[in-house]
Every structure is written in C-alpha cells, then in structure tokens.
Amino acid sequence: MRALVFTGPAAVELRDVPEPAVGADEVLVHVAASGICGSELHGVRTPGFRVPPLVMGHEFAGLTSDGRAVVVNPILSCGSCDVCRLGLRNVCRERRIVGVHRPGGFAERVAVPESTLVELPQGLGWTAAGIVEPAANAVHAWSLAGAPAGARVGVYGAGAIGLSCLLVALSGGAASVEVADRSESRVEIARRLGARSAGAALTGEYDVIFDAVGAAVTHERSLALLRPGGTAVWLGLADPTAGFDATALVRGEQRVLGSFAYTDADFATAVETVGEWDLSWVRTFPLADGAEVFTTLMNGHDTPVKALLSP
C-alpha cells in the first residue's frame, strides 16, 4: 500500500510499504482523511520526538473493514494509573500516540486498537471528521479556562488550533474574540469566522488568552495583556522558553495553564460540534501529493491553513 513516510531530517516521501499487521483487539481503518499538524511540520524539520522512518498522521478518520465511519482518538494510555483513573488519559505518564510512537494515518490503511475508535454521526463529512482532533484540543482549552461565557478572549495564532479556539469560544458564549497572526491571509480568515478584530498583534485587555503559538514572545504577551485574575491557556509548543514576568503573575493573581490534547469527553464534544463549523479554510489533497504539500507547508507557506490528505 502507499504511505507518506518521514524518512529523515526535512524529508518525507510517498512509498510503498507493507500492509499493516492487525493485532489482537485491533481494527483496520481505511483512511479517508488525515490532517497535517503543525507539530509534524516542526517534528520533521527537527527530528527527536518523532523518529524516522515513520508513517505519521494522528488526526484521521475513515472506514473500518465492516463499514463503520469512525474518527480515531490517537492517545493510547495505560488506563490504570492514578491519572487515568481521574479521567486524564491525555496526561498519562505512559501515554503513546498513534502517528508518533506507531504508524499513523498518512497511509491508505492503518491498524489501531478498537478502543481508539469513535463512530461518526450519520451525515458528517470527511472534511469535518478530519478536523475533529484539532477541534478537540480547542474544546479542552476552553474547558480548562472555565468555559467563561461573556469573556473577552484573545487568541495568538490563526492556524488550525487557533481558529478552532476562536470557533469554540464563540459557540461557548464569549463576548468577543480577537486573533493575532503574522499572516494576513490567516487574519482575514479569522475575521470571516467571527473574530471581532484580527491583525498582527493583540491590543487591550482580556479575560482569557489562548496561546496557540507557544513562542517566548507570545508567552510574555499572553500575560501582559491579561486582566488581573485572568487566565492564559498555552497550547503551542514552538519554544520551551517561558519568557514571562513571574512577579507580575503573582501580583496580578493571574493563571497560566498548560493544555495538552483532550479528554475523551472533549473529543466526543468535538465530534458533535465540528459539523456546524465553517471549514472553508480546510483543503483536501490526494495522498499522492502529500510529500509536495507537506514540504510546502514545512517551508513556511501559510496556505492552506489546514491540509487533509486523502487516499
């Protein structure tokens, strides 16, 4: 079968690979849509967390061999530790991720544990199904922030995660959402999706700020623009540097929360809601064009905001 394979630093190739071996308690999924994540673009440029050769792809949906339309929750956890028992499988100390620690969805077919499958509502299209995973990240971040209806919300980054945060906040009753991104084309998309304002920077004061970039400067600004007692939720992984004034954090009684992935409940909420979203910022490409699309995005091209690959 064909698969897009991460073969080395800054290199992905379309290759013929062996058919997946389907183990006990596993299911073969015929992939219909698999999203390219910003973390994968970064991971291919600077290998470390992802080790080549690897078929990546942790955001995917498709059909099982018995005809069920499913999306895959790629987080694999032990299920028995203290954290898992609290319902926080996403931060299990032993967690593994489909597409990172085992072959993922950048292929015609992939074998996954039956427990990862979430059946799709009837009529949900593959474009929406392919965006469930990043949407779940935003649902989780909104929940961590307290789902504050009436809040003034700022978002750093208008990639798939940032736009998902915008859409989740608007549907959750935020009074206003403003978005900052260096890309004018992405800023324009944010405006079209309902951002009160969008541009190269956030200005003013906010109750909640989502940092979907994760650079030292956005860390710093996400706190500088918070009201006293406000909450910054960091989702981005661009830079490990914190970059903020800890004394100001204390004096303003502000909160910084890390947000990693999602709970099972967040994932289910995303499945239920993405069908209502304007997804004109998502484009689907044939898997055969995957290497070209991936490389173009990896080299800094800002469109499309979200690329899905389909065999």
Side-chain angles (χ1 to χ4, degrees):
M1 70 170 185
R2 295 180 306 166
L4 185 66
V5 183
F6 168 31
T7 56
V12 292
E13 301 175 15
L14 188 69
R15 289 186 170 182
D16 289 321
V17 300
E19 288 286 338
V22 182
D25 301 319
E26 291 188 344
V27 174
L28 189 68
V29 174
H30 300 257
V31 178
S34 186
I36 296 175
C37 178
S39 66
E40 291 164 333
L41 302 174
H42 180 267
V44 168
R45 283 195 302 266
T46 56
F49 188 57
R50 293 167 175 82
V51 179
L54 174 67
V55 177
M56 299 185 298
H58 59 273
E59 308 173 359
F60 64 100
L63 290 171
T64 62
S65 295
D66 60 2
R68 289 175 289 159
V70 298
V71 61
V72 172
N73 181 334
I75 298 175
L76 309 175
S77 59
C78 74
S80 59
C81 69
D82 56 336
V83 176
C84 287
R85 290 197 301 273
L86 290 171
L88 302 175
R89 291 196 315 109
N90 55 311
V91 288
C92 174
R93 300 175 187 88
E94 304 300 323
R95 70 173 180 258
R96 296 171 66 80
I97 301 172
V98 176
V100 177
H101 302 102
R102 57 182 286 165
F106 290 165
E108 293 179 300
R109 290 169 290 282
V110 57
V112 296
E114 172 79 39
S115 60
T116 67
L117 303 183
V118 178
E119 294 200 24
L120 296 172
Q122 187 172 5
L124 189 72
W126 292 123
T127 298
I131 207 75
V132 163
E133 200 276 348
N137 280 269
V139 170
H140 184 61
W142 181 245
S143 177
L144 287 176
R152 299 163 298 173
V153 176
V155 179
Y156 277 111
I161 298 293
L163 293 180
S164 294
C165 285
L166 162 67
L167 291 166
V168 168
L170 288 174
S171 65
S176 63
V177 184
E178 300 179 10
V179 177
D181 197 285
R182 293 181 296 181
S183 164
E184 180 55 38
S185 64
R186 293 188 174 194
V187 160
E188 182 53 41
I189 291 169
R191 292 192 192 106
R192 190 176 73 241
L193 293 179
R196 186 176 74 175
S197 68
L202 295 179
T203 58
E205 189 175 69
Y206 303 88
D207 302 302
V208 175
I209 295 182
F210 297 107
D211 181 2
V213 177
V217 65
T218 54
H219 288 161
E220 186 275 329
R221 297 306 296 163
S222 70
L223 285 171
L225 298 176
L226 272 185
R227 67 161 171 82
T231 301
V233 183
W234 292 357
L235 301 87
L237 295 167
D239 188 339
T241 306
F244 65 90
D245 182 347
T247 59
L249 175 85
V250 172
R251 292 189 176 109
E253 202 170 277
Q254 297 164 322
R255 296 192 305 159
V256 177
L257 301 174
S259 181
F260 181 79
Y262 32 76
T263 65
D264 291 344
D266 297 324
F267 200 87
T269 297
V271 170
E272 294 168 1
T273 58
V274 290
E276 303 169 2
W277 288 8
D278 174 353
L279 296 177
S280 56
W281 46 279
V282 182
R283 285 186 59 194
T284 300
F285 299 86
L287 179 63
D289 296 341
E292 179 182 357
V293 173
F294 193 100
T295 302
T296 299
L297 292 171
M298 182 176 62
N299 289 337
H301 204 279
D302 61 0
T303 55
V305 175
K306 189 65 177 181
L308 304 181
L309 301 181
S310 174

